[in-house]
């Protein structure tokens, strides 16, 4: 039979603390997995599904467009419109009249402040 060593009080406390830390680390790891599975993974799946659907619809639309073929555009004839330029009449510089005299503006100052 194996002989069991008796541990001191400090040794027993140390062993219990290491076991408790190991249990807490396991709980922490499980919690991380749960959070990942509940929040991160569904968002990733939704984003991936949206991208796949957009790509599928894009390819489907391209196939439908190729099957239909080009649509002919009907052109209506437009009547040509001719514009004849009119000559501009200018006066020579020497014959122009001088500047008109403008009356000076008058300012009336009143002391009603």
């Amino acid at each position: 039979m194996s002989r069991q060593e008796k541990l001191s009080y400090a040794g027993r406390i140390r062993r219990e603390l290491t076991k408790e830390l190991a249990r807490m680390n396991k709980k922490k790891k499980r919690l991380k997995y749960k959070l990942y599975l509940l929040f991160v993974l569904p968002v990733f799946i939704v984003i991936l599904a949206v991208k796949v659907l957009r790509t599928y619809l894009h390819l489907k639309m391209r196939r439908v467009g190729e099957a239909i073929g080009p649509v002919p555009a009907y052109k209506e004839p437009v009547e040509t419109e001719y514009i004849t330029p009119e000559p501009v009449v200018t006066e020579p510089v020497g014959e122009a009249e001088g500047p008109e005299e403008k009356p000076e503006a008058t300012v009336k100052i009143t002391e009603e402040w």
Side-chain angles (χ1 to χ4, degrees), residues 31-50:
L31 182 63
K32 279 185 180 180
Y33 289 146
K34 284 180 183 179
L35 289 175
Y36 179 76
L37 291 173
L38 285 174
F39 297 109
V40 177
L41 191 62
V43 170
F44 177 74
I45 290 173
V46 167
I47 290 172
L48 186 64
V50 167

Side-chain angles (χ1 to χ4, degrees), residues 14-29:
R14 187 177 295 124
R15 188 182 339 159
E16 288 178 22
L17 285 176
T18 55
K19 285 182 181 180
E20 186 65 28
L21 282 174
R23 272 189 249 128
M24 289 176 79
N25 283 337
K26 280 184 179 180
K27 279 185 177 182
K28 183 175 139 184
K29 195 179 276 187

Side-chain angles (χ1 to χ4, degrees), residues 6 13 22 28 50 60 63 95-96:
K6 288 190 177 183
I13 296 294
K28 183 175 139 184
V50 167
K60 198 69 164 175
R63 284 189 199 142
E95 296 178 11

Side-chain angles (χ1 to χ4, degrees), residues 37-74:
L37 291 173
L38 285 174
F39 297 109
V40 177
L41 191 62
V43 170
F44 177 74
I45 290 173
V46 167
I47 290 172
L48 186 64
V50 167
K51 286 188 177 188
V52 167
L53 184 65
R54 288 182 73 196
T55 305
Y56 174 75
L57 291 176
H58 180 72
L59 292 173
K60 198 69 164 175
M61 292 300 292
R62 183 180 288 177
R63 284 189 199 142
V64 169
E66 289 174 356
I68 292 175
V71 178
Y74 298 107

